[in-house]
Amino acid sequence: MYGCQQDLIKNPQLLPFLEYLCTTPNKLINCGIYLARQWYFKLSYITGKYDLEKQLKSNFNYKFIHSQAAQQTIRTVAEYFQSYRQLFHQYLGGELSNKPQLPRYGKKAGLGVITYPKQAIRLKQNKVRVPLGKKVKAAFKVDSFLLNFPKNIDFKKIRKIRIRPCNNYFYVEWVYKLEIELNQAMEKDKVLGYR
């Protein structure tokens, strides 16, 4: 099981930078959706997990963010189309009453979520170093930025982080592994629900 802790990014110096950075995943998702829709319409092919990555590695938006974050972004597009295929088969089998729709494009000037797997981030003195893409390094001479790491989470349990824009603010979501011991001898009259 996984837990997620969401923290507001309060550093005002990072806000314009994060806004600019979060436009890239939205553009990359739209590029991936366009390519996957073309494959679907012209070839009746639903994209696989790595197909879009191979095609979009040379894309400017792919190079703008860190490579592992770009991979995570593109894989979400593949997951959208895999979900569509499963729902469409359920619709054909009569399990669903409403016909599913192909994934749609995001807003042209919208912001997207950036996901970094744990292997892409580093902890130094209670701050997490978040890397940036090659194009950012070349254009702005900045290779990373720092986020305060929460004291109540063990860094060894972190699996990934997400930077999520929401209501003109930016949040960092710390996704970590939960270790829960299930007590088999629970008292059924003192629990909210059970199987």
Side-chain angles (χ1 to χ4, degrees):
M1 292 181 70
Y2 294 97
C4 179
Q5 177 173 318
Q6 189 178 66
D7 294 328
L8 178 66
I9 300 175
K10 296 177 182 176
N11 185 345
Q13 297 167 340
L14 282 179
L15 296 181
F17 178 70
L18 289 172
E19 184 175 328
Y20 184 67
L21 185 64
C22 285
T23 60
T24 307
N26 187 55
K27 292 176 185 175
L28 188 57
I29 286 171
N30 284 343
C31 290
I33 287 175
Y34 174 79
L35 187 57
R37 286 173 71 102
Q38 294 306 307
W39 286 341
Y40 180 75
F41 291 136
K42 294 180 180 178
L43 305 172
S44 296
Y45 175 72
I46 295 288
T47 183
K49 188 175 181 180
Y50 303 107
D51 297 334
L52 290 173
E53 282 181 48
K54 291 176 189 173
Q55 293 295 317
L56 293 174
K57 274 191 176 182
S58 61
N59 184 287
F60 175 80
N61 297 307
Y62 190 96
K63 291 179 181 179
F64 188 81
I65 55 179
H66 189 262
S67 60
Q68 291 173 328
Q71 289 172 353
Q72 293 292 320
T73 302
I74 289 299
R75 287 178 186 170
T76 59
V77 175
E79 289 170 6
Y80 295 162
F81 279 85
Q82 296 296 329
S83 295
Y84 166 77
R85 179 174 57 190
Q86 290 174 353
L87 290 171
F88 191 73
H89 286 304
Q90 289 177 354
Y91 171 74
L92 291 177
E95 297 174 47
L96 292 176
S97 58
N98 296 333
K99 185 177 180 182
Q101 301 293 316
L102 278 169
R104 296 183 181 169
Y105 300 106
K107 292 180 180 178
K108 190 171 185 177
L111 300 175
V113 176
I114 302 174
T115 303
Y116 290 90
K118 182 183 181 179
Q119 66 191 58
I121 59 175
R122 300 287 177 260
L123 180 66
K124 291 185 179 181
Q125 300 172 352
N126 290 329
K127 294 198 180 277
V128 171
R129 180 186 175 275
V130 181
L132 301 171
K134 295 176 185 176
K135 296 286 184 186
V136 174
K137 292 176 191 175
F140 300 109
K141 309 293 187 243
V142 177
D143 68 342
S144 63
F145 62 95
L146 299 174
L147 295 172
N148 293 327
F149 188 70
K151 295 177 182 176
N152 62 325
I153 302 175
D154 182 8
F155 186 74
K156 293 176 185 174
K157 294 183 180 180
I158 292 289
R159 292 296 171 247
K160 62 184 171 181
I161 67 167
R162 291 186 293 251
I163 297 173
R164 178 179 301 281
C166 183
N167 298 326
N168 295 324
Y169 293 100
F170 292 90
Y171 295 88
V172 59
E173 295 178 343
W174 308 96
V175 179
Y176 56 94
K177 187 169 185 164
L178 286 176
E179 295 185 17
I180 298 174
E181 293 182 25
L182 296 176
N183 185 357
Q184 297 297 330
M186 71 175 111
E187 298 176 39
K188 292 182 180 178
D189 60 335
K190 294 183 179 179
V191 296
L192 185 61
Y194 63 92
R195 287 189 199 192

